[in-house]
């Protein structure tokens, strides 16, 4: 089941990895949080009282970004202030791979 999450940071990471055979990468990284209903064991003590859990960042290839999110990757990474604090709904497959991410508008409608 998909859950609403909040965008708390956006960054674009470009570069290359590898010592002998260089591989280029260009990713958009979305930092996110999610509210929870109950205090959980091993929860982040800084966030326990707020009822917010910090989740692992989502890393999406720049070239795959529009297919996964429905948003233009250039405007998303160049104007992060438009997206910070917005809700999103995230869908994963059974193996935990990100399949789809949709931004929820201020009116509560999911932008497709």
């Amino acid at each position: 089941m998909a859950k609403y999450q909040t965008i708390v940071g956006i960054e674009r990471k470009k570069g290359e990895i590898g010592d002998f055979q260089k591989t280029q990468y260009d990713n958009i990284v979305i930092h996110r949080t999610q509210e929870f209903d109950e205090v959980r064991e091993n929860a982040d003590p800084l966030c326990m009282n707020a009822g917010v859990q910090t989740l692992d960042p989502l890393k999406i290839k720049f070239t795959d970004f529009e297919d996964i999110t429905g948003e233009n990757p250039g405007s998303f990474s160049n104007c992060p202030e438009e997206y910070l604090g917005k809700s999103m709904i995230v869908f994963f497959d059974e193996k935990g791979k990100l399949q789809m991410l949709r931004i929820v508008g201020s009116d509560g409608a999911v932008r497709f």
Side-chain angles (χ1 to χ4, degrees), residues 61-73:
K61 289 181 184 178
F62 192 83
T63 55
D64 297 342
F65 191 82
E66 192 160 5
D67 290 338
I68 291 172
T69 67
E71 303 286 327
N72 180 292

Side-chain angles (χ1 to χ4, degrees), residues 17 20 25 28 34 40 47 54-55 63-64 70-71 77 84-85 88 94 108-109 111:
I17 55 173
F20 300 107
Y25 65 88
I28 294 178
Q34 176 176 286
R40 297 183 182 166
C47 296
T54 302
L55 303 172
T63 55
D64 297 342
E71 303 286 327
S77 62
L84 293 178
M88 63 181 178
E94 60 277 349
R111 293 166 39 178

Side-chain angles (χ1 to χ4, degrees), residues 9-28:
I10 298 168
E11 61 183 314
R12 185 169 178 189
K13 292 192 173 185
K14 295 170 71 171
E16 59 185 24
I17 55 173
D19 293 328
F20 300 107
Q21 186 177 17
K22 301 286 186 189
T23 302
Q24 300 285 326
Y25 65 88
D26 187 0
N27 298 318
I28 294 178

Side-chain angles (χ1 to χ4, degrees), residues 32 58-59 90-99:
R32 61 202 172 114
L58 295 173
K59 187 180 348 177
V90 183
F91 300 89
F92 297 93
D93 67 10
E94 60 277 349
K95 295 181 182 177
K97 182 179 177 191
L98 178 64
Q99 294 297 302

